[in-house]
């Protein structure tokens, strides 16, 4: 658990200082060194255009980790808003939101994500892709945190301390700020620790399929994109190294989120 | 019976909602097939307008949605622009492969995860529990894409040659991805049942530990697992999309991806609708099993 946290921190630090820990920019092409095996000059080798794989891995971490983080926060925010409103308001508002929630939970979300992506132009600016990805993931992922928040809000608002505060004349806004929202935060934190790796994985998958960031933007998805071809797999074994690194990253994520969920369960 | 009927109604409502969502997405998308022709100087504007009327594209969106729903309900999804054949034919060829892949993966997952989960719950802290528990924890968030790529690469390094296009590796990857959650749920559910007093009674009666576990404790803890069955099928359906593409298994996932890259809207919509229908059927089957397994549900007031 500790080792995993340290490893994840190291990855984030490396991503933040990407420019300092790499010798070449991720897009710089060394055509004379194409398909070079790992060595002193290129620690993880080079791809077919002679780009430094190490630099692409470290710079790619920025975009991938940021998309995961942003999409996770967005979906958690939407979930807090909608779940909170549903739990507080009750009545027909609650019924509507719950129905919508069930619908989104029952959807095959990978299909939906791809289908929604189909209606945006294929080749676009990296910033547009980033925004679109963020909005799509947030819009599809809000249902799970909303269900969590709704449950918590419904139980908290009947709690005696809250009823007492209400009796002392506390306003709706004060109750929300001091009593209700703080109660939902631990659950949301656990949700985020599970959701962020999922959203990072979504970016990697989409870009791998050619529907996310294109090869010229370094992201983890476009980095493993070249693994789709058999020639690369047989002739350039080092192209698989980023996949191994990513597998370790995701393994660490799961260990950390399992530990978080465990502490939360015991705390209750 | 009202329970099942209510669930069926809910499933239909959800399908209608999905179809409306999909249709709305198509409406919101900038441009359409004829729009591309309108800007083509070689085709007169009057011709495009006539086509527009012919295909009914000049009608308001709600009318077109009604027509689309009616044709989808009769199994007709329109014609693929890229292939030039009816979408239903295109899908019929692919659907069987995806269903086969998903069901095999589902079967393999549960065949492995259920006994392992029961065993690990009974011998908590034993070597198998520590091994599988640790493995499941690490693998919980591992994306199916990475597992697929690792298998591709691993098979090459091990000298087995290319494994793409075969069903075995695809099933293995899907099962490996869905194993952790089923295993963990089984373990915790059986663990809870093991603490109930009837287990002590059975032990005192002198039944063997294996018999207690698999004949008495497992049925008592099946309830949450039955709900998990349809959920895990939903997960496998989503994951199979990626695994199909990664390991080149020609199913619905590949079809959808090709359709998206070719901007073949009719195929995209059809694939989403078929996947959503599959999931609803899976959910209904899950509800039916729950109905059979738990008599309390039959008497629950509506």
């Amino acid at each position: 658990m500790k080792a995993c946290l340290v490893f994840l921190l190291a990855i984030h630090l490396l991503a933040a200082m990407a420019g300092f820990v790499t010798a070449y920019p991720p897009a710089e092409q060394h055509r004379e060194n194409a398909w070079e095996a790992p060595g002193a000059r290129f620690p993880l080798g080079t791809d077919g255009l002679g780009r430094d794989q190490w630099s692409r891995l470290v710079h790619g971490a920025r975009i991938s980790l940021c998309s995961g983080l942003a999409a996770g926060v967005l979906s958690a925010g939407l979930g807090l808003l909608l779940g909170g409103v549903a739990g507080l308001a009750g009545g027909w508002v609650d019924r509507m939101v719950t129905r919508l929630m069930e619908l989104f939970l029952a959807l095959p979300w990978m299909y939906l994500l791809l289908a929604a992506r189909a209606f945006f132009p294929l080749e676009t600016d990296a910033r547009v892709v980033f925004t679109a990805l963020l909005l799509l993931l947030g819009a599809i992922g809000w249902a799970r945190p909303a269900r969590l928040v709704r449950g918590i809000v419904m139980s908290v608002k009947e709690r005696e301390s809250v009823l007492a505060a209400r009796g002392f004349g506390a306003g709706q806004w004060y109750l929300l700020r001091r009593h209700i929202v703080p109660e939902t935060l631990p659950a949301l934190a656990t949700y985020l620790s599970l959701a962020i790796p999922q959203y990072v994985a979504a970016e990697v998958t989409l870009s791998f399929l050619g529907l996310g960031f294109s090869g010229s933007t370094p992201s983890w998805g476009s980095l493993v994109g070249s693994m789709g071809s058999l020639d690369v797999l047989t002739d350039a074994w080092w192209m698989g190294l980023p996949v191994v690194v990513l597998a370790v990253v995701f393994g660490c994520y799961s260990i950390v989120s399992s530990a978080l969920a465990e502490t939360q369960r015991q705390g209750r | 019976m009202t329970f099942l009927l209510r669930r069926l109604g809910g499933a239909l409502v959800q399908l209608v909602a999905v179809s409306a969502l999909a249709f709305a997405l198509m409406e919101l998308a900038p441009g359409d097939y004829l729009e591309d022709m309108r800007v083509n100087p070689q085709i007169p504007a009057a011709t495009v307008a006539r086509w527009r009327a012919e295909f009914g594209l000049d009608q308001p969106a709600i009318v077109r949605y009604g027509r689309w729903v009616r044709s989808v309900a009769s199994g007709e999804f329109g014609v693929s622009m890229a292939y030039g054949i009816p979408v239903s034919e295109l899908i019929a060829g692919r659907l069987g492969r995806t269903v086969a892949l998903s069901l095999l993966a589902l079967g393999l997952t549960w065949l492995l995860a259920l006994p392992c989960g029961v065993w690990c719950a009974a011998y908590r802290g034993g070597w198998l529990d520590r091994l599988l528990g640790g493995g499941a924890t690490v693998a919980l968030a591992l994306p199916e894409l990475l597992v697929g790529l690792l298998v591709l690469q691993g098979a090459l390094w091990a000298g087995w040659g290319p494994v793409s296009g075969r069903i075995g590796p695809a099933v293995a990857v899907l099962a490996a991805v869905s194993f952790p959650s089923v295993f963990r749920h089984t373990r915790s559910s059986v663990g809870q049942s093991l603490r109930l007093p009837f287990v002590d009674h059975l032990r005192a009666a002198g039944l063997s530990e294996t018999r207690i576990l698999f004949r008495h404790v497992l049925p008592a803890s099946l309830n949450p697992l039955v709900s998990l069955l349809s959920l895990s099928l939903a997960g496998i359906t989503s994951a199979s999309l990626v695994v199909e593409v990664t390991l080149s298994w020609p199913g619905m996932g590949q079809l959808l991806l090709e359709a998206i890259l070719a901007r073949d809207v009719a195929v995209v919509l059809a694939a989403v609708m078929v996947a959503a229908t599959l999931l609803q059927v899976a959910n209904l089957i899950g509800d039916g099993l729950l109905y059979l397994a738990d008599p309390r549900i039959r008497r629950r007031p509506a």
Side-chain angles (χ1 to χ4, degrees):
Chain A
M1 161 72 191
K2 285 234 174 69
C4 289
L5 264 182
V6 170
F7 180 76
L8 284 180
L9 261 176
I11 288 278
H12 283 83
L13 267 179
L14 276 180
M17 307 188 302
F20 294 104
V21 295
T22 55
Y24 312 100
E28 193 174 290
Q29 303 183 356
H30 309 268
R31 290 294 177 98
E32 68 283 6
N33 300 100
W35 297 126
E36 194 168 293
R41 197 167 157 214
F42 303 106
L44 289 181
T46 60
D47 67 359
L49 295 171
R51 290 178 295 193
D52 182 13
Q53 285 287 91
W54 164 248
S55 175
R56 275 160 63 75
L57 179 72
V58 175
H59 280 92
R62 286 185 166 183
I63 284 189
S64 296
L65 293 173
C66 278
S67 339
L69 194 69
V73 169
L74 183 68
S75 72
L78 275 177
L80 181 63
L81 190 71
L82 283 164
V85 166
L88 271 184
W92 66 270
V93 178
D94 184 33
R95 275 200 296 278
M96 286 270 292
V97 175
T98 311
R99 272 288 143 77
L100 212 59
M101 225 149 66
E102 280 167 2
L103 174 67
F104 272 81
L105 285 172
L107 287 173
W109 72 279
M110 200 65 214
Y111 274 81
L112 196 73
L113 190 61
L114 286 190
R117 179 64 185 83
F119 300 104
F120 291 95
L122 284 179
E123 283 295 329
T124 38
D125 186 47
R127 261 166 304 173
V128 179
V129 175
F130 183 79
T131 321
L133 205 67
L134 202 72
L135 292 178
L136 282 178
L137 288 175
I140 293 175
W142 65 273
R144 262 192 322 148
R147 191 170 57 171
L148 275 176
V149 169
R150 176 177 170 272
I152 294 170
V153 168
M154 299 224 326
S155 78
V156 168
K157 90 176 167 182
E158 300 301 329
R159 201 175 281 174
E160 277 162 8
S161 60
V162 177
L163 288 180
R166 196 188 289 269
F168 285 129
Q172 214 37 286
W173 178 240
Y174 176 87
L175 284 177
L176 212 60
R177 197 161 41 89
R178 291 300 300 272
H179 290 282
I180 295 174
V181 170
E183 288 285 333
T184 63
L185 292 184
L188 279 182
T190 311
Y191 162 76
L192 273 180
S193 74
L194 272 170
I196 289 172
Q198 261 184 12
Y199 289 137
V200 175
E203 184 281 320
V204 174
T205 307
L206 275 183
S207 299
F208 173 81
L209 296 177
L211 300 171
F213 298 102
S214 61
S216 56
T217 314
S219 87
W220 282 351
S222 56
L223 189 63
V224 298
S226 58
M227 297 271 301
S229 105
L230 191 65
D231 296 345
V232 172
L233 283 175
T234 42
D235 298 338
W237 58 269
W238 59 92
M239 295 296 281
L241 291 178
V243 178
V244 178
V245 175
L246 293 197
V248 175
V249 170
F250 280 103
C252 285
Y253 266 133
S254 2
I255 290 172
V256 169
S257 56
S258 295
L260 256 181
E262 191 58 37
T263 21
Q264 207 201 328
R265 208 170 13 235
Q266 281 166 0
R268 229 185 273 148
Chain B
M1 220 49 219
T2 42
F3 167 75
L4 285 186
L5 279 179
R6 232 163 6 119
R7 285 307 173 98
L8 188 64
L12 282 178
V13 169
Q14 290 201 342
L15 278 184
V16 171
V18 172
S19 76
L21 204 69
F23 195 81
L25 271 175
M26 187 167 68
E27 279 301 305
L28 292 174
D32 59 25
Y33 198 63
L34 287 178
E35 190 70 24
D36 292 344
M37 294 195 165
R38 201 177 52 78
V39 293
N40 186 341
Q42 290 187 333
I43 305 175
T47 316
V48 176
R50 207 185 65 230
W51 278 340
R52 197 165 277 279
E54 208 169 286
F55 290 126
L57 291 176
D58 53 347
Q59 304 286 324
I62 187 80
V63 174
R64 280 180 290 129
Y65 175 65
R67 282 187 189 162
W68 184 66
V69 167
R70 211 175 315 146
S71 73
V72 164
S74 59
E76 210 43 67
F77 288 101
V79 175
S80 155
M81 287 174 203
Y83 290 90
I85 57 172
V87 176
S88 40
E89 266 175 48
L90 211 54
I91 285 187
R94 305 293 193 103
L95 184 60
R97 289 210 180 83
T98 292
V99 169
L101 177 63
S102 303
L103 287 184
L104 280 176
L106 187 76
L108 185 62
T109 306
W110 282 79
L111 268 180
L112 287 176
L114 213 56
C116 287
V118 173
W119 195 260
C120 291
Y123 302 98
R124 201 166 280 244
W127 65 270
L128 188 68
D129 184 35
R130 267 178 297 168
L131 181 76
L132 285 179
T137 305
V138 173
L140 198 61
L142 217 54
E144 53 273 11
L145 172 69
L146 290 184
V147 179
L149 288 178
L150 283 174
V151 165
L152 270 182
Q153 181 110 56
L156 276 179
W157 283 348
W160 296 339
V163 291
S164 40
R166 293 196 234 142
I167 195 167
V171 171
V173 169
L174 270 181
V177 171
S178 47
F179 178 86
S181 92
V182 177
F183 168 76
R184 285 170 67 125
H185 278 97
T186 309
R187 183 167 165 271
S188 82
S189 174
V190 170
Q192 276 171 12
S193 309
L194 270 174
R195 272 181 242 125
L196 296 176
F198 82 93
V199 180
D200 293 332
H201 170 81
L202 291 176
R203 285 216 181 96
L207 266 66
S208 78
E209 196 66 14
T210 322
R211 195 179 159 85
I212 294 178
L213 271 180
F214 286 94
R215 281 295 299 278
H216 298 279
V217 173
L218 182 59
S221 25
L222 267 186
N223 221 346
L225 299 181
V226 171
S227 325
L228 185 68
L229 184 70
S230 50
L231 269 184
S232 78
L233 187 58
I236 284 179
T237 310
S238 265
S240 84
L241 196 154
V242 177
V243 172
E244 278 172 20
V245 176
T246 322
L247 296 179
S248 322
W249 179 250
M252 294 278 295
Q254 273 208 343
L255 182 69
L256 177 62
L257 184 68
E258 284 163 18
I260 289 173
L261 292 175
R263 312 202 70 60
D264 204 346
V265 174
V267 179
V268 174
L269 284 181
V272 173
M273 283 310 293
V274 168
T277 313
L278 271 186
L279 280 196
Q280 293 298 345
V281 170
N283 281 339
L284 279 178
I285 293 175
D287 287 338
L289 286 177
L290 203 60
Y291 181 82
L292 289 179
D294 190 353
R296 281 168 295 185
I297 287 186
R298 285 171 232 168
R299 274 182 258 120
R300 192 187 291 165

